[in-house]
Amino acid sequence: MSTRLASGGRLIDRETPIHFLFNGRKFPGYAGDTLASALLGAGQQLMGRSFKYHRPRSVVASGHEEPNALVNLGDGGRFEPNQRATVTELYDGLEARSQNHWPSLEMDIGALNDLAARFLPAGFYYKTFIHPRWAWKHLFEPVIRRSAGLGRAPVERDADRYEHYHTHCDLLIAGGGIAGLQAALVAGRAGLSVLLLEQSPHWGGRSPVDGATIDGAEADDWVKIALQELESLDNVRLRLRCQVAGLYDHGYALAVERLADHQPGAIPPRQRLWRIRARHVLTATGAIERPLAFASNDTPGVMLASAVRDYVVNWGVSPGDRTVIVTNNDDAYRTAIALHEAGLVVPMVVDARPGVGGPLAETVRALGIRVESGKAIAKVLGGKSVGGVAIAAQAGEGAVLETVPCEAVAMSGGWSPVVHLWSHCGGKLIWDEVSALFRPDPARPPTGADGSAMVTPAGSANGALLADAVLADADAQARAAVKALGARLPKSAVPQVETVAEQPLAATWIMPQGAGPALRAKMWLDFQNDVKVSDVQLAAQEGYASVEHAKRYTTLGMATDQGKLSNINGLAVLAGALDQRIPSVGTTTFRPPYTPLTMGTIAGEARGVLFQPLRKTALHSAHEAARADFEPVGQWRRPYCYPRPGEDRQAAVVREVKNTRQAVGLLDASTLGKIIVSGPDAGRFLDMIYTNMMSTLAPGKCRYGLICSENGFLIDDGVVARIDEQTWLCHTTTGGAERIHGHMEDWLQCEWWDWQVHTANVTEQFAQIGVVGPKARLLLETLGGMDVSKEALPFMHWADGRLGGFPVRVYRISFSGELSYEIALPASQGLALWQRLMAAGEELGVMPYGTEALHVMRAEKGFIMIGDETDGTIIPQDLGLSWAVSKKKADFLGKRAQQRSHMTDPDRWKLVGLETLDGSVLPDGAHLPAAGENANGQRNVQGRVTSTYYSPTLDRGIALALVHRGPDRMGEEVPVQDGKGGTVAARIVSPVFFDPKGEKQDV
Amino acid sequence: MPGSRGFDVKRYSVFAIAREALRWHRGWERAWATPEPKPEYDVVIVGGGGHGLATAYYLGKNHGITNVAVVEKGWLGGGNTGRNTTIIRSNYLQDPSAAIYEKARSLYETMSQDLNMNVMFSPRGVMMLAQTEHEVRGYKRTEMANALQGVKTEFIGPERVKELCPIIHIEGPRYPVLGALWQARGGTARHDAVAWGYARACSAMGMHILQNTEVTGITRDASGVTGIETSRGRIATRKLGLVVAGHSGQLAEMAGFRLPIESLALQALVSEPIKPCMDVVVMANTVHGYMSQSDKGEMVIGGGTDGFNNFTQRGSFHHIEETVRALIETFPMLSRLKMLRQWGGIVDMTGDRSPIISTTPVPGIFVDCGWGTGGFKAIPGSGWAMAELMAKGQPGPLAEAFGLSRFREGRFIDESVAAGVAH
């Protein structure tokens, strides 16, 4: 059983005991503990259940690579599933629950899967659950879904805040171990702006535990001295708890700073996402120890040798009184020494290498520890904890030579450099035969915008595993990076390190070498996803030979640790099964992020009301005061209608339409896009943008214009006013302002870059008020100051002037068919004018009207609405707008497209009006079925409704529709879908339902 | 296996698993054979993704053509087949789209039995949220069109949305859920298994699956195509199908013609696995994002395409940021989940965002491409239509509207009105 040692633990503060809850039980711990170290220290080894077989699991690692010890952390709005206990800093009152079991961690029904494991090999689900057909969805899948998954789904809204921080630097250094610190010293002394980020709460990485002497000082002290110098440099920024999560093209990096995870709710934000544009990136991300594959290597109590060392040295935790070490390299001997120094028993070091010598092994032997070379663990004895190990010859098939009772096993299969960041943005790897590891291939680095290398690996991330090599490599790589960045190299020496020489490792992928199928089916590669040696071998046997196929078939490396412990071992087993060399099998692709990244952090501040900007017009407060019923139109909020007490939406709309048709209404038209187009070539430019002629429009006049895409389809419409010789003002639809402005700039910048034209989107600079209805002129005249008579300001003209003292530009344009003035004025004065008009118009019966009344009135007049009558497939000719498509102009956007055979086909659907025979309102989107079916068995169709409303003016349903040869079929009765599975009869009529001669607007 | 006369494949079943378990699974055979290329085939398909393999499969199954090679540059299903978000639906607006996607959906329903491999088609239901009045009208239009197309969909109100997907936040604040277009028979499937299942069935019919075989050239004479040059030598054929998605432009160039295709990276991500909390697929087009939960428990999330043409299958950040923001608005519980990994797939986009299944200017060469962001759901329908085109030399009713000539004639099949985002 794991326990807390009576003394020791360089990271814990024994003076500050704290308490936490695990599965509802109260446990003791110390400040400085991780959740994992505290649980182990309190004797709680069992921490979770595996994904597939629900095997009992304990912690196997001590850092971010941990696959087993995942917990449901926290509660309510601060609940988080799948939190790695090994990197969860303990705080007082922490609440954690183990995952993936029912009814309890100790007694899990799901563990029945484990008994049936032999029948559930890799990919078993592809080969069964096939019959009967209904059963997958209704029987098998629900059971599998419930059994799968890990943590609970959060329920409550996130109680925390997140923020983004944008920054630049010359050199971004990922990792604050001795390599990262040395690199920062070199680059900092060179005067470069350096950002040094370390994911853990401590500087120095592994070195203080591994015990190097640097420049005559203990590693811990050297780290302190290095930090003092770095902190004194203004050009160096240092952050702990800040992990470089992903590296993207052109030196773009994301780092996540965990500010409050260790003190929940103490200070906002919880996490900060650093969005970094670095000129160069140096990855000093270290290396991760590999497990060894022997039978039942997933038993609680089997841990990485480095993790055992960490728990003893950093947190004063004993993994058990007796720990067997199993290794294929020298490094694990350090664990034997650390255990011995802590007063714990190491009954045996099981070394797979045939002849073991060298200083480390000799030191261990001298301590009286038995070292067995050429040996393997045949299997681990025990169930929910280690009871002992059976020893066999590594070269054999697993015949047990002896059993050694123990409570823990510390394993080491060698080390793998952390190459993730290097790989994220395209860096390639080479296989190092000597150390049996993949390291960055200097010949194939990730490249930046200029094609040169943008990432430099350093230290053990570059395959240099011993402290002296780490510092030498970090120094050299940092110097190369400094030089590449064009800075002057500082004069400083490489720190001198005293290290113990190591004997070479012997690559060991299966233990023992000749293990049979029964043992191989118990050798775990991917602990969390329960992928074993036998599974990878089965994948190879069945032809899933590509490393990606094997991964996907077995799920190796697809767990929350993304294969940090399993990838290389799995790859080696696959290579073995295929009888290929490891490098020729290749690796799977590392994807960002390095460790799972909280979604809230990705979203940052943009949530709730900050999700997207809410755009309000200058008149918004007046609408609110009038109790407007708002609707979202893009990011704008526009009044849909202004219901009075006792009115519903429909009643309000009817009243607003009638009042506008009979008296006078006010419309907030401020959201309409307003784009100024100016310059010597502006007329020529607009002649290309619009289908009709704009260059000939006289100053002072307005013209309705259409804008088509290159493919000829109508994308926007609006009234264009010519302001002066070189200036036009183009009105767009509300939703079209930014899009059309972008469209204009696209053509100006990419195609007609030499034309002298400027555009400016001035939509928000103006408030625009529609004064609409037979009494509109009367109302304006009560304000006075400007002649708005028909003679002075005829239909489709505009004029500047003052109305009631306000500086205004008045357009005589109409989207309702009524006498109508649209008054533009500086946004800051819009509200005052609106209020003046409302007050002055009281006797005339003025009322505001909303978007729905606007839509009804335009439909009564047969005016099209972009997005209703158009959908990206409609050309102006379909809508009876041929009159607005110039036949004289040599070219305009869409002209050539509109000449294609399908565009000129007389069989195209064209705009007409529809009136139901019974006066009812047709449903939205209704189609007009025709007789028979097409070759695909679909009902033939002859048209569809594009807009449908109740017309208060006509007191009946009216609709606009696109109908096959519609204009040729006036008066014909057609069936229209009624939305209930049947049809309703309607008559094809003119799309202009009201005032067909346009007499009311031109007065 | 149906029409089993080639590579001997033992049937998959629970009994086979039991039998094999007793001998430590030593008896399982290769899912598909790895033969040496023959000098000539009746038909060569370039592209070992879902669409290419399905084309081969239906050439054999529907037309009795089995002297077929499928040539793949890398590993089977390594392109978009293995990178998508596995959504299957057919609630399209335009008739030709609805026809081929509904054909595909119906073939997915029986695919596990057809291929004797569990592709885990799960008709869990797909809903497309309407979050503006405009979107409501658009989806009602689609519902009306679907009714005439024989595609069963219905427009449902916000209460029903909440009932089907309790983790959704229907009250805004920016874009309240006003309803949804619901296709109960849509769902998801296991993407890799689709490629593997087709490959296994093709191999069983005697077809050759040639992985790690890169096409380096296409040869032709006056009468049309004569064969391909590959990294494993020359292969002669008189019928060549190019089914290579984002790389269609390069292959067409080798053959001497051009295609109206742009290649863009489409972004996707998954969360860590959690216990089941979402049984349906939700697409939110106004805010740009869609999500479902896989059988493993991961939340599978699709985003948008990068704003520039490229061929890197890498994740980029800005779309992920936008997508995650949008989805947290819609599913607040997501905020405390973690993104496990992100990636990109190269999608082949046409001008009207609809596919091309067509003859080409070179006699004997046929293309099936342009599926853009919607290819996975179409795989069996696409293969079915492409096989018919290749077997008969001219398109059947499913493929007819998707010919290359439509761009010249302006006969677009534009679904953008129904799908504002990637799908």
Side-chain angles (χ1 to χ4, degrees):
Chain A
M1 183 176 118
S2 60
T3 52
R4 184 79 68 173
L5 294 164
S7 62
R10 56 181 280 274
L11 298 181
I12 55 168
D13 175 8
R14 292 192 187 243
E15 303 298 310
T16 314
I18 51 182
H19 288 88
F20 66 100
L21 292 171
F22 180 69
N23 286 345
R25 234 184 89 202
K26 197 170 177 185
F27 283 88
Y30 293 113
D33 259 326
T34 65
L35 177 57
S37 69
L39 284 169
L40 286 178
Q44 177 68 39
Q45 275 189 290
L46 190 56
M47 295 188 198
R49 292 275 173 174
S50 67
F51 191 85
K52 184 173 172 188
Y53 301 133
H54 290 243
R55 303 256 302 177
R57 289 292 165 77
S58 181
V59 63
V60 66
S62 57
H64 284 281
E65 64 279 13
E66 173 62 34
N68 285 342
L70 306 183
V71 296
N72 286 319
L73 186 68
D75 203 11
R78 294 208 160 88
F79 169 80
E80 184 175 15
N82 302 332
Q83 185 61 27
R84 291 178 301 286
T86 50
V87 293
T88 304
E89 293 177 59
L90 200 67
Y91 52 86
D92 203 33
L94 176 149
E95 281 185 68
R97 290 183 176 276
S98 53
Q99 302 184 154
N100 205 33
H101 47 66
W102 185 87
S104 74
L105 178 59
E106 286 73 22
M107 264 296 301
D108 180 13
I109 296 290
L112 287 172
N113 287 355
D114 189 31
L115 297 178
R118 198 162 163 182
F119 297 90
L120 309 174
F124 75 96
Y125 30 72
Y126 298 124
K127 296 172 179 165
T128 181
F129 310 131
I130 295 173
H131 297 280
R133 183 151 74 86
W134 58 268
W136 173 251
K137 165 78 165 73
H138 296 285
L139 183 62
F140 302 129
E141 189 184 36
V143 172
I144 286 178
R145 278 170 85 84
R146 267 196 292 279
S147 161
L150 285 171
R152 256 192 317 117
V155 177
E156 287 185 34
R157 190 169 277 273
D158 195 339
D160 280 314
R161 267 185 47 206
Y162 304 85
E163 72 179 25
H164 286 190
Y165 177 73
H166 298 251
T167 193
H168 292 78
C169 62
D170 291 325
L171 187 65
L172 168 64
I173 302 175
I178 54 171
L181 290 167
Q182 176 62 21
L185 286 171
V186 171
R189 288 168 187 157
L192 292 172
S193 80
V194 176
L195 187 55
L196 173 62
L197 306 180
E198 162 58 36
Q199 63 183 358
S200 80
H202 310 284
W203 298 106
R206 292 207 54 80
S207 293
V209 174
D210 293 348
T213 306
I214 307 170
D215 283 344
E218 290 294 311
D220 255 337
D221 294 327
W222 183 86
V223 168
K224 279 188 198 124
I225 295 164
L227 274 173
Q228 274 171 8
E229 181 179 347
L230 290 170
E231 279 163 0
S232 73
L233 295 171
D234 289 341
N235 53 324
V236 177
R237 285 179 288 172
L238 306 161
R239 286 291 184 284
L240 287 172
R241 299 188 177 95
C242 191
Q243 178 194 72
V244 182
L247 209 49
Y248 301 84
D249 289 334
H250 299 181
Y252 189 62
L254 290 184
V256 57
E257 186 176 11
R258 298 182 168 95
L259 293 155
D261 283 4
H262 59 296
Q263 42 184 1
I267 45 154
R270 177 191 174 208
Q271 297 185 354
R272 176 182 294 138
L273 189 73
W274 288 59
R275 307 178 62 164
I276 304 157
R277 189 68 75 173
R279 287 175 65 203
H280 199 82
V281 180
L282 187 136
T283 56
T285 43
I288 294 174
E289 194 167 24
R290 291 193 295 257
L292 284 164
F294 46 86
S296 299
N297 58 347
D298 70 326
T299 308
V302 180
M303 296 163 69
L304 293 173
S306 57
V308 168
R309 204 149 77 224
D310 286 342
Y311 287 112
V312 171
V313 176
N314 283 337
W315 294 290
V317 168
S318 151
D321 290 344
R322 297 165 58 85
T323 302
V324 166
I325 313 265
V326 56
T327 185
N328 65 345
N329 64 79
D330 268 12
D331 185 57
Y333 285 79
R334 294 194 173 91
T335 301
I337 296 167
L339 286 165
H340 182 84
E341 283 176 355
L344 297 165
V345 178
V346 179
M348 185 186 287
V349 176
V350 182
D351 197 322
R353 294 173 293 182
V356 177
L360 273 165
E362 289 316 316
T363 306
V364 166
R365 282 195 175 111
L367 295 171
I369 295 171
R370 190 174 154 202
V371 175
E372 286 289 330
S373 61
K375 295 296 190 300
I377 290 182
K379 64 176 163 190
V380 176
L381 310 172
K384 285 181 188 164
S385 62
V386 173
V389 291
I391 306 298
Q394 168 63 13
E397 293 177 359
V400 177
L401 302 172
E402 64 177 305
T403 61
V404 180
C406 60
E407 294 171 9
V409 176
M411 59 182 167
S412 178
W415 291 78
S416 296
V418 175
V419 295
H420 296 65
L421 296 176
W422 171 271
S423 300
H424 282 173
C425 47
K428 301 287 187 263
L429 306 174
I430 49 172
W431 178 249
D432 182 329
E433 287 287 353
V434 175
S435 305
L437 51 80
F438 276 107
R439 60 180 165 80
D441 181 353
R444 294 178 295 165
T447 50
D450 60 357
S452 62
M454 70 175 199
V455 183
T456 301
S460 38
N462 197 25
L465 294 177
L466 286 174
D468 52 347
V470 165
L471 282 170
D473 185 62
D475 190 76
Q477 298 290 357
R479 284 174 182 278
V482 166
K483 209 172 157 191
L485 288 168
R488 277 187 56 181
L489 285 170
K491 286 199 181 84
S492 60
V494 184
Q496 293 304 304
V497 184
E498 296 159 32
T499 49
V500 186
E502 289 191 8
Q503 300 297 301
L505 146 160
T508 308
W509 308 115
I510 296 180
M511 182 171 259
Q513 194 61 49
L519 289 179
R520 293 201 306 265
K522 290 286 178 191
M523 296 177 182
W524 264 259
L525 291 171
D526 186 317
F527 293 98
Q528 188 182 117
N529 271 359
D530 282 324
V531 182
K532 301 152 296 172
V533 167
S534 56
D535 294 315
V536 173
Q537 290 172 333
L538 177 62
Q541 173 189 331
E542 293 192 84
Y544 299 96
S546 147
V547 60
E548 279 286 351
H549 280 160
K551 166 186 134 186
R552 287 152 185 263
Y553 192 63
T554 62
T555 72
L556 177 95
M558 296 178 79
T560 61
D561 59 316
Q562 291 283 286
K564 291 186 180 68
L565 295 188
S566 62
N567 272 347
I568 303 301
N569 288 352
L571 197 62
V573 170
L574 180 65
L578 296 170
D579 204 16
Q580 290 179 8
R581 291 180 61 240
I582 289 170
S584 54
V585 172
T587 59
T588 55
T589 313
F590 293 106
R591 303 283 185 189
Y594 176 59
T595 61
L597 179 58
T598 298
M599 301 273 192
T601 310
I602 296 172
E605 300 92 336
R607 56 170 57 203
V609 293
L610 296 179
F611 168 52
Q612 282 183 4
L614 181 65
R615 300 175 74 184
K616 299 174 179 176
T617 72
L619 314 178
H620 194 83
S621 60
H623 306 322
E624 278 181 333
R627 294 193 188 83
D629 181 348
F630 289 95
E631 69 161 330
V633 180
Q635 291 171 340
W636 292 102
R637 283 288 184 279
R638 298 191 73 184
Y640 179 91
C641 59
Y642 300 79
R644 291 182 168 180
E647 275 186 345
D648 61 7
R649 273 185 158 197
Q650 168 75 8
V653 170
V654 167
R655 173 181 50 75
E656 289 169 15
V657 169
K658 284 186 169 167
N659 186 68
T660 305
R661 291 253 184 255
Q662 289 158 15
V664 59
L666 293 190
L667 175 77
D668 181 357
S670 306
T671 60
L672 281 183
K674 304 164 205 73
I675 300 169
I676 298 277
V677 178
S678 187
D681 291 316
R684 176 187 177 200
F685 172 66
L686 292 177
D687 281 349
M688 287 301 294
I689 293 288
Y690 285 90
T691 60
N692 39 358
M693 197 79 92
M694 291 300 171
S695 57
T696 57
L697 184 64
K701 293 178 87 170
C702 303
R703 185 170 287 164
Y704 175 69
L706 304 175
I707 300 179
C708 289
S709 68
E710 253 182 308
N711 274 320
F713 299 122
L714 185 54
I715 56 172
D716 210 72
D717 69 347
V719 170
V720 177
R722 185 152 188 186
I723 307 300
D724 60 34
E725 197 50 42
Q726 291 200 358
T727 309
W728 282 253
L729 185 131
C730 304
H731 287 104
T732 73
T733 58
T734 295
E738 287 75 29
R739 185 166 46 82
I740 294 302
H741 187 221
H743 173 76
M744 288 178 171
E745 284 296 323
D746 188 9
W747 285 95
L748 274 179
Q749 293 176 31
C750 299
E751 300 294 331
W752 307 318
W753 48 270
D754 53 341
W755 292 14
Q756 295 183 57
V757 184
H758 282 292
T759 68
N761 183 351
V762 295
T763 303
E764 290 177 336
Q765 272 63 49
F766 293 93
Q768 199 143 321
I769 302 170
V771 182
V772 181
K775 296 179 182 172
R777 185 171 288 135
L778 275 177
L779 175 52
L780 295 194
E781 282 167 354
T782 60
L783 263 61
M786 203 174 151
D787 187 352
V788 292
S789 66
K790 181 179 181 181
E791 296 69 33
L793 186 55
F795 187 51
M796 295 308 275
H797 282 63
W798 64 270
D800 281 342
R802 294 188 89 81
L803 265 180
F806 292 94
V808 292
R809 175 171 290 157
V810 183
Y811 304 92
R812 271 291 313 272
I813 53 181
S814 177
F815 197 42
S816 56
E818 297 297 329
L819 169 63
S820 166
Y821 298 84
E822 284 201 13
I823 304 169
L825 75 167
S828 58
Q829 300 180 51
L831 183 60
L833 177 60
W834 176 274
Q835 285 164 342
R836 180 83 65 83
L837 287 165
M838 286 299 291
E842 201 170 348
E843 281 179 21
L844 300 173
V846 70
M847 293 179 190
Y849 67 94
T851 52
E852 185 64 2
L854 164 86
H855 289 155
V856 171
M857 287 191 282
R858 69 92 193 166
E860 288 175 340
K861 280 291 294 176
F863 293 146
I864 63 135
M865 178 69 90
I866 297 293
D868 286 343
E869 276 62 46
T870 68
D871 63 1
T873 68
I874 305 300
I875 56 176
Q877 293 83 347
D878 297 338
L879 302 175
L881 295 171
S882 297
W883 60 267
V885 180
S886 169
K887 295 174 187 60
K888 291 185 217 151
K889 288 196 294 188
D891 198 10
F892 58 82
L893 293 177
K895 180 182 172 85
R896 194 176 56 173
Q898 287 167 3
Q899 292 167 348
R900 289 181 285 190
S901 59
H902 184 61
M903 301 293 199
T904 56
D905 189 343
D907 279 331
R908 287 183 73 89
W909 294 359
K910 298 209 162 156
L911 189 73
V912 292
L914 288 180
E915 286 180 356
T916 49
L917 301 190
D918 60 6
S920 62
V921 181
L922 289 166
D924 280 318
H927 285 54
L928 283 60
E933 291 182 346
N934 65 20
N936 286 317
Q938 299 168 320
R939 179 72 183 267
N940 286 325
V941 182
Q942 55 179 325
R944 64 179 177 86
V945 170
T946 55
S947 296
T948 171
Y949 296 98
Y950 166 73
S951 163
T953 313
L954 305 172
D955 187 26
R956 57 162 303 123
I958 59 167
L960 299 176
L962 290 160
V963 176
H964 179 229
R965 290 180 178 266
D968 303 337
R969 296 166 65 183
M970 286 297 154
E972 192 178 318
E973 275 179 36
V974 285
V976 187
Q977 282 175 303
D978 65 2
K980 301 173 201 123
T983 59
V984 57
R987 181 175 290 112
I988 298 177
V989 297
S990 159
V992 187
F993 296 90
F994 175 70
D995 186 24
K997 291 188 181 146
E999 287 162 344
K1000 292 195 72 178
Q1001 65 192 13
D1002 189 14
V1003 290
Chain B
M1 297 302 298
S4 215
R5 51 201 163 87
F7 188 63
D8 181 34
V9 172
K10 291 216 173 69
R11 282 191 71 78
Y12 291 158
S13 70
V14 66
F15 308 108
I17 289 181
R19 181 190 68 225
E20 286 301 328
L22 299 177
R23 48 173 165 160
W24 297 108
H25 301 280
R26 271 181 281 217
W28 293 114
E29 293 176 358
R30 299 186 69 91
W32 57 86
T34 52
E36 283 303 305
K38 291 196 289 187
E40 182 167 9
Y41 296 90
D42 292 344
V43 174
V44 171
I45 307 289
V46 184
H51 291 257
L53 291 163
T55 300
Y57 175 72
Y58 293 112
L59 274 171
K61 189 179 182 199
N62 293 354
H63 306 283
I65 300 170
T66 56
N67 183 19
V68 175
V70 178
V71 178
E72 166 56 46
K73 166 171 89 166
W75 41 281
L76 291 185
N80 296 336
T81 303
R83 294 170 189 276
N84 63 83
T85 50
T86 79
I87 299 170
I88 293 162
R89 62 181 180 90
S90 61
N91 53 349
Y92 278 71
L93 180 63
Q94 312 289 358
D95 282 353
S97 315
I100 197 161
Y101 285 106
E102 175 63 9
K103 177 71 182 176
R105 196 203 55 76
S106 70
L107 288 170
Y108 266 118
E109 283 188 333
T110 56
M111 190 182 285
S112 295
Q113 294 74 37
D114 285 349
L115 301 180
N116 177 235
M117 182 147 177
N118 186 4
V119 302
M120 303 182 202
F121 174 66
S122 174
R124 52 187 58 250
V126 175
M127 65 168 72
M128 301 172 82
L129 300 182
Q131 293 180 282
T132 65
E133 297 288 347
H134 185 254
E135 236 176 342
V136 170
R137 291 195 292 272
Y139 286 138
K140 285 184 172 171
R141 174 183 168 193
T142 305
E143 179 195 21
M144 293 277 193
N146 288 163
L148 299 173
Q149 291 156 345
V151 177
K152 194 171 159 29
T153 58
E154 70 179 301
F155 188 84
I156 57 175
E159 304 75 25
R160 180 105 169 94
V161 168
K162 183 81 183 166
E163 189 185 316
L164 287 163
C165 185
I167 62 170
I168 215 165
H169 177 55
I170 59 171
E171 278 109 18
R174 249 331 156 262
Y175 299 108
V177 174
L178 305 174
L181 184 67
W182 170 241
Q183 185 174 25
R185 297 172 76 178
T188 56
R190 176 81 186 99
H191 54 15
D192 292 323
V194 172
W196 301 339
Y198 275 126
R200 177 166 166 266
C202 288
S203 185
M205 285 189 276
M207 297 180 182
H208 281 187
I209 310 290
L210 306 173
Q211 294 187 94
N212 301 311
T213 308
E214 184 170 0
V215 175
T216 55
I218 294 173
T219 57
R220 50 191 278 196
D221 62 17
S223 64
V225 69
T226 55
I228 54 173
E229 308 284 353
T230 79
S231 54
R232 293 169 76 187
R234 181 181 153 72
I235 297 171
T237 187
R238 282 287 180 181
K239 267 193 181 175
L240 181 64
L242 306 181
V243 195
V244 294
H247 295 282
S248 296
Q250 284 102 317
L251 268 290
E253 194 176 7
M254 285 182 202
F257 60 94
R258 295 183 69 193
L259 285 172
I261 295 272
E262 291 184 333
S263 295
L264 299 163
L266 174 68
Q267 299 294 326
L269 64 131
V270 294
S271 77
E272 294 182 323
I274 49 171
K275 291 292 175 190
C277 64
M278 181 183 187
D279 284 334
V280 301
V281 181
V282 175
M283 313 182 71
N285 287 350
T286 292
V287 294
H288 290 269
Y290 48 100
M291 182 164 94
S292 63
Q293 187 173 20
S294 73
D295 286 344
K296 264 192 87 180
E298 297 161 334
M299 310 307 285
V300 182
I301 294 172
T305 48
D306 287 344
F308 48 92
N309 293 359
N310 72 99
F311 290 100
T312 68
Q313 293 173 319
R314 278 181 226 153
S316 68
F317 187 66
H318 85 276
H319 261 297
I320 296 304
E321 180 184 8
E322 282 172 17
T323 300
V324 168
R325 282 176 173 167
L327 289 176
I328 288 177
E329 278 309 292
T330 317
F331 306 96
M333 54 81 71
L334 267 186
S335 183
R336 290 193 85 90
L337 291 186
K338 297 183 226 85
M339 173 169 85
L340 182 55
R341 62 178 175 274
Q342 63 162 126
W343 66 94
I346 303 307
V347 294
D348 41 337
M349 308 289 261
T350 61
D352 62 359
R353 302 295 186 252
S354 285
I356 298 168
I357 308 173
S358 184
T359 56
T360 70
V362 182
I365 299 185
F366 304 86
V367 289
D368 181 351
C369 64
W371 291 94
T373 57
F376 176 72
K377 69 177 79 70
I379 284 173
S382 162
W384 184 286
M386 180 68 170
E388 185 175 10
L389 170 66
M390 292 193 74
K392 297 178 178 168
Q394 55 190 5
L398 280 179
E400 192 165 14
F402 296 107
L404 269 171
S405 63
R406 76 175 187 275
F407 299 102
R408 200 164 46 244
E409 296 162 6
R411 193 184 297 275
F412 295 148
I413 306 161
D414 197 327
E415 289 287 339
S416 56
V417 52
V421 295
H423 45 122

